[in-house]
Amino acid sequence: MPDALAEPADATASAPPRPNAVVPVLAFAGIVVSLMQTLVIPIVPELPKLLDAPASDTAWAVTATLLAAAVATPVVGRLGDMFGKRRMLLVSVMLLVTGSVLCALSESLVPMIVGRAVQGLSAAVVPLGISIMRDELPAERLAGSTALMSASLGVGGALGLPTAALIADHFDWHVLFWSSAAMGAVALVLVLLFVPESAVRSGGRFDVVGGLGMATGLVCLLLAISKGADWGWSSGLTLGLFAAAVLVLLAWGRFELRTSEPLVDLRATARRQVLVTNMASVAIGFAMFAMSLVLPQLLQMPEQTGYGLGRSLLTAGLVMAPSGLVMMAFAPVSAAVSRAKGPKVTLMIGALIVAAGYGLNIVLMSEVWHLVVVSCVIGAGIGFTYGAMPALIMGAVDLSETAAANSLNTLMRSIGTSVASAIAGVVLSQMTISLGGYELPSEDGFKAVMGLGAGAALLAFAVASFIPRRRPLAPAEATPQAAEAPAAAS
């Protein structure tokens, strides 16, 4: 690594790193941001009435967050590598607070969509937090801490549903967003007080053309995936967006390979360890989100169907909540396995656990406790995989590329969740039963989605087997002083 990237820590750092404070603060910030995944779920059916708008338009309150997060994650990650990870972390949390306040003050559709989009711009907090940990933490704390930070994505989503349902049941819906703003403000203050700025920066000039090209391609791709079911998968708009995504991303890739300071270093991304890990991440994102789509619906489906459990949204959220705690609990276990056997093995073990959880769900779905057990098993597997992926990415890239590389990996998981939502929606809309004049997803439909979740996890296992075999990470290799180590993984 060039000497310019390793300036003395006290030259730019805001404070000496305090691991016992830095890790929980960053994990808390990650959980707060990931709450966006489930924040509006309790009020989605009510949004047309609350905002006096058609349901097809209010759906943009969810889609806007997805699109903004997809664009912001790689861009903010690159800016973090260039100008300071803590600085961009603070900007991201401030965007979360701003977006939450806009939503809390909204009474109509447009301000709500704008606020949700601004919330989505904060999505890079988790990869930025992982990158700060790599720069600042001692070697013996790095694996467990990054595993915990990565798992915060799932933890926030799991804990957010019951919390949001409880608030929506007992308070005005605006309180959901005031609560989000308050938690974001707390996270902002904690980051200011306890998280140091790293001296590891790449510098250079931001790739504006690359940023616009990636944003355009991702928006076209994710818009087609998320709205294809509403517009029709064979409609001209959907097919046109898919075609535009392919053409724009191909042109973007050609441009990135030719520019001297690209937004995404595609040559580094093409390294076998990074490429295969990102491919596995798409499958893992699919497998994780399938659980979030199936279990709450099973719990809330009317008992008259013969397989639904007829429970409230709050109960569904409480059933899902333990999976988030299990993810958090398994983060240090994941780190221990990675130290002993390497993160490739950890990723493969996690994928098998997730597949086993879905297999269990196919035969155990008739009691509430069945779904608690299933969600915890899948949560344990996700905890393993989410702990292994940043370790694999950071083991193959230079320190000055950490935030951008982790952000791209997070984006790959998000694409997996978007694809899961689209495919599950198609399956459940095609495999239905009629009850009281309404069409509802059938038991076989739910089992088919579970089978797809298991298949995605097994695909992740198979893909991960192609990750280059590496001996377990030695402590010296995990420290910033060993920045040259990634060169061996290229």
Side-chain angles (χ1 to χ4, degrees):
M1 184 181 67
D3 292 340
L5 301 181
E7 24 180 299
D10 60 1
T12 56
S14 59
R18 289 173 279 179
N20 290 335
V22 169
V23 174
V25 166
L26 291 175
F28 174 72
I31 290 171
V32 170
V33 169
S34 65
L35 287 172
M36 289 187 308
Q37 300 171 11
T38 48
L39 185 67
V40 297
I41 287 179
I43 63 170
V44 164
E46 304 296 323
L47 282 178
K49 180 177 68 175
L50 296 173
L51 301 175
D52 191 24
S56 58
D57 291 340
T58 58
W60 285 96
V62 176
T63 306
T65 307
L66 168 70
L67 298 178
V71 171
T73 301
V75 170
V76 175
R78 175 62 179 151
L79 289 172
D81 282 333
M82 293 174 65
F83 304 119
K85 303 175 184 73
R86 176 179 181 266
R87 179 178 298 172
M88 296 314 301
L89 180 67
L90 290 169
V91 170
S92 296
V93 177
M94 284 190 284
L95 287 170
L96 172 66
V97 175
T98 302
S100 299
V101 171
L102 283 173
C103 291
L105 294 173
S106 65
E107 296 289 349
S108 58
L109 181 63
V110 172
M112 170 64 83
I113 292 175
V114 171
R116 288 289 289 164
V118 175
Q119 280 187 318
L121 295 176
S122 68
V125 163
V126 171
L128 286 170
I130 292 171
S131 303
I132 290 171
M133 288 176 176
R134 186 191 189 190
D135 292 348
E136 302 298 330
L137 296 185
E140 65 274 10
R141 295 288 303 272
L142 183 60
S145 299
T146 55
L148 178 63
M149 188 70 197
S150 186
S152 70
L153 277 170
V155 173
L159 299 182
L161 183 58
T163 304
L166 186 64
I167 292 173
D169 283 348
H170 294 88
F171 302 96
D172 179 79
W173 65 274
H174 294 90
V175 176
L176 287 169
F177 297 102
W178 286 122
S179 301
S180 174
M183 288 187 291
V186 172
L188 185 67
V189 172
L190 292 174
V191 170
L192 282 168
L193 291 175
F194 296 108
V195 177
E197 180 62 271
S198 170
V200 181
R201 302 183 188 181
S202 63
R205 183 178 58 186
F206 182 73
D207 178 14
V208 176
V209 175
L212 291 173
M214 174 177 257
T216 303
L218 287 175
V219 167
C220 290
L221 175 63
L222 293 174
L223 198 54
I225 292 172
S226 60
K227 303 296 285 185
D230 297 331
W231 296 336
W233 292 106
S234 59
S235 71
L237 182 55
T238 303
L239 295 176
L241 284 170
F242 276 125
V246 172
L247 293 174
V248 170
L249 290 175
L250 284 174
W252 169 80
R254 182 180 176 86
F255 175 82
E256 292 294 277
L257 288 171
R258 294 188 170 193
T259 190
S260 58
E261 296 180 291
L263 174 72
V264 177
D265 186 346
L266 293 180
R267 291 180 177 83
T269 303
R271 293 172 186 166
R272 184 175 167 188
Q273 182 161 320
V274 178
L275 178 63
V276 177
T277 301
N278 282 334
M279 292 170 61
S281 297
V282 176
I284 288 295
F286 186 110
M288 185 198 84
F289 203 63
M291 172 182 71
S292 302
L293 293 167
V294 168
L295 299 192
Q297 289 194 62
L298 273 176
L299 285 158
Q300 295 176 83
M301 200 66 63
E303 292 181 346
Q304 293 89 330
T305 59
Y307 53 87
L309 299 177
R311 304 307 173 104
S312 67
L313 178 62
L314 177 58
T315 301
L318 292 172
V319 168
M320 299 292 290
S323 68
L325 301 177
V326 169
M327 289 181 203
M328 188 180 295
F330 271 81
V333 180
S334 167
V337 174
S338 293
R339 282 193 297 269
K341 300 294 183 181
K344 171 184 175 178
V345 173
T346 307
L347 179 57
M348 295 175 72
I349 291 173
L352 287 179
I353 295 173
V354 172
Y358 281 112
L360 198 63
N361 199 184
I362 292 174
V363 297
L364 290 179
M365 54 183 291
S366 59
E367 301 285 346
V368 171
W369 71 266
H370 289 173
L371 302 189
V372 174
V373 171
V374 165
S375 68
C376 287
V377 172
I378 295 174
I382 296 298
F384 266 82
T385 59
Y386 272 26
M389 285 184 283
L392 286 164
I393 294 296
M394 291 188 296
V397 300
D398 189 85
L399 276 170
S400 61
E401 301 171 338
T402 302
N406 278 317
S407 296
L408 186 62
N409 182 251
T410 300
L411 175 63
M412 293 300 105
R413 284 183 263 177
S414 297
I415 291 174
T417 62
S418 300
V419 173
S421 180
I423 292 179
V426 170
V427 171
L428 295 178
S429 66
Q430 295 298 315
M431 303 178 70
T432 62
I433 62 170
S434 182
L435 181 68
Y438 294 93
E439 294 294 317
L440 299 174
S442 67
E443 182 177 11
D444 286 340
F446 285 121
K447 288 183 176 180
V449 175
M450 295 172 205
L452 288 171
L458 292 174
L459 176 62
F461 173 86
V463 171
S465 68
F466 291 96
I467 295 172
R469 183 176 295 277
R470 292 282 184 261
R471 60 184 175 81
L473 193 65
E477 294 173 315
T479 63
Q481 288 74 22
E484 293 80 8
S490 58

